[in-house]
Amino acid sequence: MSELSQLAQMIYQKLVAEDSDYLASHRPYALAVSGGVDSMVLLRCFETLQATHGLNFFVIHINHRLRQESEAEQEMMVSYCQAHDLDLKVSIWQHGADLGGNVEAKARAFRYHAFGKILKAQSSLRLVTAHHSDDQVETGLMRLVHGGHLASFRGMEVLSPLYTYPKAQILRPLLDVEKASLYDLARGEGIPYQEDMTNWDKHFQRNRFRQDIIPYLEGESGNFKAHFRHFQTDLKALLNLAQPQLNQLLTNLFDQEVGCFRIDLEALGQYSQAEQVLLMEMLFQRFEIPELLAFTRTGMEELVAFLNQGAAQGQWALPGNYVLDKVYQAAFVRLKTSPPNYYQVNQNLSESQLELGQPAIQLENFALSWTLAGQDKQKDTSKSFYLPQSLSDQALTIRHRQAGDYLKLPSGSQQKIRRFFINEKIPQADRQAAWLIVRDQSWVLGILSQKGQWLYRYPLEGEALFSQIQRV
């Protein structure tokens, strides 16, 4: 069996092991082919698999129009695909002469948006790229040097989401293959390819790693690449083994609420600071918010220090216009533009939404009852507030807090509402939204949160006269 056939068979076994459902669906694979040696060898392998296993695929070529060779590469791809009767889709970046800074990032953004658009049009859910083991080492080392998250050091996955078309995934079947062997195979099989001269331009960071840093490390150890790949493999295996326990741990640490994510700081505080940093990194990955994935290690350490400091409440700015609000033993991650209604479940309540006959009412049968507007009338969602007969002749008002509001304690003393909220660690947003049942202008007999839970009820002597289960 030729080296080409061996590599093609290895790729097929990878598809069977890693992506059998898609393979069995007979839907098309989309091959990203630049014209370089890596992607041209991958293309020839898929041609072999098309002949031997009936693999369905088409080719995508992106012309970025950034180099003089770009037109020649496109012409080569058009000629090759026509000669081999292959379906080719070409996307050309129509840009002006002045692209501004960070051209590499802009080119990548165009490329992947083009990929997503073409895959959607062709009903394909797999973008196949020619990333190989040298790319894997370069990527992992770059992330290590620049402070990536722990999971990122293991490098690229065989399958990962295509962010410009979430239904699709990127498939990388050559991650175990060294680039040197791809050159050898191309020369041995007479596979045409174009050498991208920008691969030698040291203005690009990856080229500096490829040409200077990695060769230096290989000078220290001839097996550096193999050792680094073993590190990535072992790290991936370790994380996979730990994942079930980590999933349960993370589930206990955070949950998603309306408009925000809630983190349990009391549970988080049981771990060391280093463990908290790692757990917060994993939590941010769980949120699946792209902007938060760019949060640096230093930033995460500073954030954890903020969560552990003495201040009971505060706010921390996050990337992408997100903020983290610390509220006693909880933290909430939300968009800065979203209102901080952390305990809101259904809708905001206003005075007009409370089903009351009038703002101030006379109690009948020592009970005041109401229903939260907008609730299902078939469900028992009403609230009732019972008082002893000694207070039954009093008019009560339901409103939000005002200056001078106070509670009467069982001892006979008074406590300001502000001090009650602080002692009970009620979030600032919930303090403003809470409904107060008030007698004599400022004597607060009951406090109800937006969620419909009692925060406080007047203490009775000997009789359980409060109820939450009376249907109106």
Side-chain angles (χ1 to χ4, degrees):
M1 182 183 292
S2 68
E3 290 184 11
L4 177 63
S5 297
Q6 290 178 18
L7 181 58
Q9 188 60 27
M10 184 275 290
I11 291 174
Y12 188 76
Q13 293 304 320
K14 182 79 69 174
L15 300 182
V16 171
E18 302 283 349
D19 202 22
S20 58
D21 289 345
Y22 192 81
L23 179 65
S25 73
H26 300 292
R27 298 182 74 165
Y29 292 89
L31 266 63
V33 183
S34 65
V37 64
D38 316 331
S39 59
M40 289 302 295
V41 169
L42 177 67
L43 175 55
R44 185 63 66 87
C45 287
F46 266 72
E47 290 181 77
T48 301
L49 294 176
Q50 185 181 58
T52 58
H53 293 84
L55 215 60
N56 182 17
F57 74 92
F58 63 94
V59 181
I60 302 177
H61 177 74
I62 308 295
N63 183 350
H64 298 94
R65 295 175 58 241
L66 293 174
R67 300 175 290 109
Q68 293 181 350
E69 298 85 1
S70 295
E71 301 305 321
E73 290 168 355
Q74 179 179 321
E75 291 176 8
M76 183 196 81
M77 289 307 307
V78 170
S79 298
Y80 184 94
C81 291
Q82 287 178 344
H84 291 251
D85 195 24
L86 300 174
D87 184 11
L88 172 66
K89 310 297 180 186
V90 176
S91 183
I92 302 174
W93 191 14
Q94 303 292 348
H95 56 77
D98 184 12
L99 284 170
N102 207 348
V103 175
E104 191 175 13
K106 292 178 181 177
R108 187 181 189 279
F110 170 79
R111 181 165 65 251
Y112 276 87
H113 278 91
F115 287 150
K117 185 176 180 180
I118 294 172
L119 262 69
K120 186 175 183 179
Q122 298 299 311
S123 299
S124 173
L125 297 179
R126 292 297 181 272
L127 174 69
V128 188
T129 67
H131 291 109
H132 45 74
S133 68
D134 290 46
D135 292 325
Q136 188 77 301
V137 172
E138 293 164 9
T139 299
L141 190 59
M142 288 166 64
R143 290 173 179 172
L144 184 63
V145 168
H146 293 289
H149 303 303
L150 180 63
S152 71
F153 301 151
R154 63 188 180 183
M156 296 174 282
E157 299 286 350
V158 175
L159 278 169
S160 64
L162 176 60
Y163 74 95
T164 54
Y165 183 36
K167 290 183 178 181
Q169 290 189 298
I170 303 173
L171 173 64
R172 305 176 181 89
L174 299 181
L175 288 179
D176 297 327
V177 181
E178 294 185 357
K179 180 156 188 171
S181 66
L182 297 177
Y183 273 115
D184 292 341
L185 196 152
R187 285 191 289 266
E189 296 288 336
I191 300 174
Y193 63 87
Q194 294 273 353
E195 196 69 67
D196 184 352
M197 299 310 296
T198 60
N199 287 336
W200 303 99
D201 186 349
K202 293 185 181 180
H203 286 95
F204 297 109
Q205 182 185 83
R206 183 176 290 272
N207 291 342
R208 295 195 296 273
F209 273 80
R210 181 179 298 155
Q211 296 175 49
D212 296 334
I213 297 173
I214 292 178
Y216 175 82
L217 294 172
E218 286 181 307
E220 295 294 319
S221 170
N223 293 320
F224 164 73
K225 287 182 182 178
H227 293 163
F228 197 85
R229 285 195 296 269
H230 292 158
F231 160 72
Q232 291 177 309
T233 301
D234 292 347
L235 177 60
K236 180 178 179 180
L238 180 62
L239 291 175
N240 288 342
L241 286 171
Q243 203 60 56
Q245 291 77 16
L246 287 171
N247 287 341
Q248 184 57 52
L249 192 155
L250 294 175
T251 299
N252 295 335
L253 284 177
F254 93 101
D255 53 77
Q256 188 168 0
E257 298 187 1
V258 176
C260 68
F261 295 97
R262 180 184 185 278
I263 302 170
D264 186 336
L265 297 185
E266 188 172 6
L268 185 68
Q270 298 174 8
Y271 301 93
S272 70
Q273 184 163 336
E275 290 168 339
Q276 289 183 43
V277 170
L278 181 59
L279 288 169
M280 286 294 292
E281 287 180 348
M282 292 180 175
L283 283 176
F284 275 36
Q285 292 169 27
R286 277 288 190 91
F287 296 160
E288 296 183 345
I289 300 173
E291 294 86 347
L292 297 185
L293 296 179
F295 207 53
T296 66
R297 173 59 180 252
T298 301
M300 191 64 74
E301 290 174 348
E302 293 173 350
L303 175 59
V304 167
F306 163 74
L307 294 176
N308 288 320
Q309 70 183 24
Q313 301 192 66
Q315 188 176 91
W316 190 271
L318 298 172
N321 204 32
Y322 282 84
V323 293
L324 179 144
D325 293 321
K326 179 184 177 183
V327 185
Y328 294 106
Q329 291 303 311
F332 302 87
V333 176
R334 62 178 176 85
L335 272 172
K336 191 174 183 179
T337 52
S338 299
N341 292 330
Y342 308 123
Y343 290 92
Q344 174 184 341
V345 173
N346 294 310
Q347 64 277 323
N348 290 321
L349 298 178
S350 65
E351 293 215 22
S352 62
Q353 289 177 304
L354 285 173
E355 293 185 354
L356 295 175
Q358 51 193 17
I361 67 171
Q362 188 79 21
L363 294 180
E364 296 180 3
N365 300 322
F366 323 128
L368 166 68
S369 299
W370 67 91
T371 301
L372 300 187
Q375 300 287 342
D376 186 348
K377 298 296 184 181
Q378 301 302 314
K379 296 181 179 179
D380 215 3
T381 57
S382 62
K383 302 292 179 185
S384 297
F385 183 77
Y386 285 76
L387 290 172
Q389 188 170 1
S390 61
L391 297 178
S392 65
D393 61 345
Q394 303 297 317
L396 303 183
T397 301
I398 297 180
R399 60 168 171 77
H400 296 302
R401 63 183 290 200
Q402 294 178 2
D405 288 340
Y406 67 91
L407 307 174
K408 274 191 178 180
L409 303 179
S411 63
S413 61
Q414 296 182 3
Q415 183 183 74
K416 291 184 178 179
I417 287 290
R418 176 178 176 275
R419 174 49 55 188
F420 169 80
F421 281 147
I422 292 173
N423 291 346
E424 296 299 319
K425 300 181 178 179
I426 306 299
Q428 195 68 246
D430 215 33
R431 299 178 193 180
Q432 301 300 326
W435 291 100
L436 277 57
I437 300 174
V438 185
R439 175 198 177 198
D440 292 339
Q441 303 300 320
S442 56
W443 177 9
V444 177
L445 301 177
I447 306 174
L448 188 72
S449 75
Q450 278 190 326
K451 193 174 181 179
Q453 296 175 332
W454 287 109
L455 302 178
Y456 170 82
R457 289 182 292 178
Y458 181 75
L460 301 177
E461 296 181 1
E463 37 184 347
L465 296 177
F466 288 109
S467 171
Q468 290 183 308
I469 323 175
Q470 176 172 321
R471 190 177 180 85
V472 176

